[in-house]
Amino acid sequence: MRELKLQILGLNGPWRSWRPDIRLIGTAHLRKALEGGHGAILWVTETAFSTLIVKMALHNAGYEACQLSRPGHGFSTSSFGVRYLNPLWTSVENRFIAERILIIGEYATEAMEVLRARIASNRIVIITVAPQAHKFAEVPFLHTQIRLPTGPVRLARTTDAVLLPVFSVAKENGGFEVSIQEPLHPTGGEAGDESIATAYAKRLEPFVLEYPDQWNGWHSLMSGMQPG
């Protein structure tokens, strides 16, 4: 996290010239989704560097995406941080996206309406797999259970948008890799939010086992851990 903050602060400096080596793979899945005409939702797994690197990778590849966000995104969730510090963070990220759609207040109703309009225009929407949500599905994960937000799943189902999981990692050579994976589909022939969440959890498992130090979901997992 400290390195990510240094990256953000560095891009706020007068040089603004950090150009990391980022490999973006899986763009064929994104192109196919957009060819369908119903938009694409990139469901981004939160890792140590995902918040910036994913946006940079898409921008470098010529894609303009809309990001669902909250005012507390950035350095701090305090009133002071939201007003004075977080704009330093989001101003950097905003260079690499077309639009930031904010959830203001407790409920995301207005933000979801904007997202639906963007999806109807066949746009790309970025939503992070985050613990801040009102509804969850609890599904098997490793030897326990994981709670996953169902809002993005429901948004995809009700708009016919393609839901694409995205994983990003820092490599040993100092570069980064962003992987757009194939669309999520219900598991076991069952429809519904929980089945899609289960499909995502199955994709997440091998990633977490290979890069346990880069996944940001351990705290949420441990706090809600139940025997599997």
Side-chain angles (χ1 to χ4, degrees), residues 152-214:
V153 177
R154 192 175 308 109
L155 180 64
R157 287 199 299 106
T158 56
T159 61
D160 289 328
V162 179
L163 186 61
L164 300 167
V166 178
F167 298 94
S168 61
V169 295
K171 307 300 285 187
E172 292 183 358
N173 63 3
F176 300 88
E177 181 176 281
V178 176
S179 173
I180 302 173
Q181 298 200 349
E182 63 184 33
L184 292 169
H185 298 292
T187 58
E190 299 179 359
D193 298 347
E194 185 171 332
S195 183
I196 296 290
T198 298
Y200 169 77
K202 290 184 180 298
R203 303 272 188 94
L204 180 63
E205 282 184 343
F207 175 84
V208 169
L209 290 175
E210 186 172 2
Y211 303 102
D213 58 326
Q214 297 197 42

Side-chain angles (χ1 to χ4, degrees), residues 5 14 21 37-38 56 61 73 79 88 127 146 166 197 208 224:
K5 291 180 178 179
D21 178 21
H38 297 288
M56 294 180 77
H73 172 71
S79 297
L88 298 175
I127 302 178
I146 188 172
V166 178
V208 169

Side-chain angles (χ1 to χ4, degrees), residues 125-136:
V125 169
I126 300 173
I127 302 178
T128 302
V129 184
Q132 298 87 7
H134 286 282
K135 293 184 178 180
F136 296 87

Side-chain angles (χ1 to χ4, degrees), residues 2 8 21 26 34 39 98-99 109 111 116 127 165 171 176 195:
R2 185 174 69 175
I8 294 291
D21 178 21
L34 296 177
E99 179 183 14
T109 305
R116 290 178 185 278
I127 302 178
K171 307 300 285 187
F176 300 88
S195 183

